[in-house]
Amino acid sequence: MRDRLGRKIDYLRVSVTDRCNLRCLYCLPPQGVRPKTHEEILRYEEIVRLVEVAVSLGIRRVRLTGGEPLVRLGLTRLVAALAAIPGLHDLSLTTNGTLLAPLAEELKRAGLRRVNISLDTLRPERFRAVTRGGTLADAWAGIEAALAAGLHPVKINTVAMAGVNDDELADLAELTRRFPLHVRFIEVMPLGADLDWAGAHVLPMAAVRAAVEKVGRLEPAQVAGAGPARAWRFPGAPGTVGFIGALSETFCARCNRLRLTADGKLKPCLASDVEVDVRGLLRRGAGNQELEGAFRQALELKPSHHDLASYPGHARVMCQIGG
Ligand code: SAM
């Protein structure tokens, strides 16, 4: 699939739930947001049907996300059904890792290829504060289980925040010297519940990189499914480091994705409130042609670039979009 600007779109992010077991400062308000009802959320069968249509149109990679995807019961069943779709080459998962340890093996056996695990700090107290109640040991157990299960490559998503974790960015990067982990630093985006909070804690990627380079020279590296992040490594390290500056260095010209929200809307762009409803179509008994039409419409609506820096606020927070 190509959009009207000629960008090749072969990647679909599928949110399986808007619920999360954590309440990260940059994402959710302390009380969370009103969860969608069971009826509003796409059933697994509906997700599979939509992904089949997407693959018939040229989608080759799917990432499951949320909310926290592992809070949804029976996720392994969805993974197995998606992995069986001919033409889908890559199936991955974004998770906070805290529920992953007991599930990593079975997810891998079901056909999951790889995981991105969010980790913003290596300090238990700080982890509890940033996630409003999470336990670092649970997330770390998830990371170890992912490595042991061969969910390769294991990427770590670290939101870099001024005044929150800017004093341990080098420590997080140094994980890549000890483990085959791919640590990607991400600029905090004004997509959470509290836009002022995000604005006050933005840390430009140039500053992140400078902090990391204090502990060693970085050389260019390759990593599978690198997405928008170019990869770097400390010489001889088993893992890599990446820098994703969604605000300071937009990569919209290379954007290759669409998103499907847990309540069945196609989103052409993370940072825009434009949506195309597919749940309604599905539940009215739409045929494949109509569903294909909805994907094409989403492509038509895909903006040339995001306007994150000047956008006044969004209808959904990350947890409801699918990060
Ligand atoms: N619960 C899963 C997790 O924690 O990875 C998946 C969903 S979460 C919304 C996906 C990613 O979005 C996480 O890596 C999280 O750190 C990131 N994220 C959420 N809000 C963000 C924000 N305002 N700016 C930058 N990244 C954000």
Side-chain angles (χ1 to χ4, degrees):
M1 275 191 288
R2 297 228 172 236
D3 72 1
R4 64 202 159 84
L5 298 174
R7 289 173 296 193
K8 186 174 175 197
I9 309 298
D10 62 359
Y11 181 26
L12 181 66
R13 281 212 183 172
V14 176
S15 174
V16 299
T17 180
D18 58 339
R19 292 170 197 240
C20 190
N21 58 336
L22 302 179
R23 297 274 176 278
C24 296
L25 296 176
Y26 46 76
C27 189
L28 283 170
Q31 71 281 14
V33 286
R34 185 189 75 79
K36 303 278 177 194
T37 62
H38 188 66
E39 202 35 46
E40 287 174 292
I41 297 295
L42 291 183
R43 295 187 288 276
Y44 283 158
E45 294 68 24
E46 293 175 318
I47 293 176
V48 173
R49 169 111 192 270
L50 288 170
V51 173
E52 281 170 348
V53 170
V55 170
S56 78
L57 289 169
I59 292 293
R60 294 290 170 260
R61 302 193 285 141
V62 166
R63 170 174 296 281
L64 301 178
T65 182
E68 172 47 45
L70 296 179
V71 303
R72 183 152 176 189
L73 286 181
L75 191 75
T76 307
R77 181 162 66 82
L78 177 67
V79 166
L82 294 177
I85 297 176
L88 184 65
H89 300 327
D90 185 22
L91 183 58
S92 58
L93 173 77
T94 298
T95 171
N96 61 43
T98 57
L99 304 169
L100 181 60
L103 293 170
E105 283 276 352
E106 68 177 66
L107 286 167
K108 169 76 181 169
R109 273 199 305 276
L112 186 71
R113 293 203 166 202
R114 55 199 184 87
V115 284
N116 285 15
I117 301 178
S118 303
L119 182 74
D120 301 329
T121 171
L122 296 169
R123 302 184 192 174
E125 283 308 305
R126 189 174 281 178
F127 188 91
R128 191 170 294 284
V130 170
T131 61
R132 296 200 185 94
T135 303
L136 175 63
D138 294 343
W140 189 256
I143 292 170
E144 288 186 325
L147 288 171
L151 287 164
H152 177 77
V154 178
K155 296 185 186 173
I156 303 294
N157 288 350
T158 300
V159 179
M161 294 164 278
V164 176
N165 61 356
D166 49 356
D167 55 348
E168 56 173 323
L169 300 175
D171 295 346
L172 284 150
E174 297 234 57
L175 286 176
T176 67
R177 295 193 205 257
R178 289 187 285 139
F179 304 95
L181 293 173
H182 304 278
V183 175
R184 295 124 40 88
F185 294 100
I186 300 172
E187 247 166 28
V188 63
M189 296 180 281
L191 281 172
D194 185 343
L195 298 183
D196 293 336
W197 191 94
H201 293 85
V202 173
L203 191 58
M205 274 302 122
V208 176
R209 185 168 177 144
V212 170
E213 285 184 315
K214 280 198 181 131
V215 294
R217 180 174 60 84
L218 291 173
E219 59 184 29
Q222 286 291 327
V223 54
R230 251 179 263 133
W232 307 87
R233 77 167 81 237
F234 294 125
T240 65
V241 181
F243 304 95
I244 306 180
L247 288 174
S248 57
E249 2 161 340
T250 59
F251 34 79
C252 301
R254 288 181 284 133
C255 185
N256 59 355
R257 67 196 56 178
L258 290 178
R259 292 167 193 269
L260 174 64
T261 65
D263 58 343
K265 318 284 177 205
L266 286 173
K267 275 186 81 77
C269 171
L270 169 70
S272 149
D273 288 336
V274 172
E275 301 178 345
V276 176
D277 175 45
V278 278
R279 186 187 68 199
L281 285 180
L282 273 173
R283 295 188 182 170
R284 281 197 300 278
N288 281 3
Q289 266 192 342
E290 250 183 293
L291 296 174
E292 287 167 15
F295 277 94
R296 293 215 172 86
Q297 192 187 348
L299 279 195
E300 275 297 304
L301 292 168
K302 197 168 167 61
S304 59
H305 59 279
H306 71 63
D307 200 9
L308 265 177
S310 61
Y311 195 78
H314 290 269
R316 295 171 183 261
V317 298
M318 272 294 255
C319 210
Q320 298 166 310
I321 301 171

